[in-house]
Amino acid sequence: MKLPVIRHIQRNNSTAQIQNCIEVLESYCEYNRITDEEMDIIGELITNLCGAVEVHQMIEDGMPERDAANAFVKKVLGSIDK
């Protein structure tokens, strides 16, 4: 997860565009000749895309962009510590 990447994706794409991208990447992962290295890269991409969707949602719910990004990071870090 990289917050600058998440912010870039969130600022430059709609939620629908990001959701479509996630679906394409998930479909690509089902291809039987994907290497472990490719799967790791795709997993990282999907993680950042899902983060952008969450930040979008928090902003739509009324949270300022900076607070939404920080709240998302705290949520992720909080889940890792548990």
Side-chain angles (χ1 to χ4, degrees):
M1 177 192 82
K2 295 180 180 171
L3 187 56
V5 173
I6 292 169
R7 282 186 177 153
H8 178 79
I9 294 168
Q10 175 268 318
R11 288 178 180 159
N12 294 292
N13 300 281
S14 69
T15 301
Q17 290 173 310
I18 299 168
Q19 291 285 5
N20 287 338
C21 188
I22 292 169
E23 290 174 17
V24 170
L25 289 173
E26 287 174 342
S27 174
Y28 183 73
C29 288
E30 294 171 1
Y31 181 61
N32 61 0
R33 294 190 179 174
I34 296 292
T35 65
D36 288 342
E37 183 181 22
E38 290 171 325
M39 191 68 82
D40 289 344
I41 293 168
I42 293 169
E44 180 71 16
L45 290 171
I46 290 173
T47 299
N48 289 327
L49 291 166
C50 289
V53 169
E54 282 204 37
V55 171
H56 254 302
Q57 185 62 48
M58 286 187 261
I59 292 169
E60 287 176 13
D61 292 343
M63 187 177 285
E65 181 180 321
R66 183 182 186 125
D67 293 344
N70 289 332
F72 176 74
V73 169
K74 285 180 185 175
K75 176 182 169 183
V76 171
L77 293 177
S79 68
I80 292 171
D81 291 339
K82 291 182 180 178

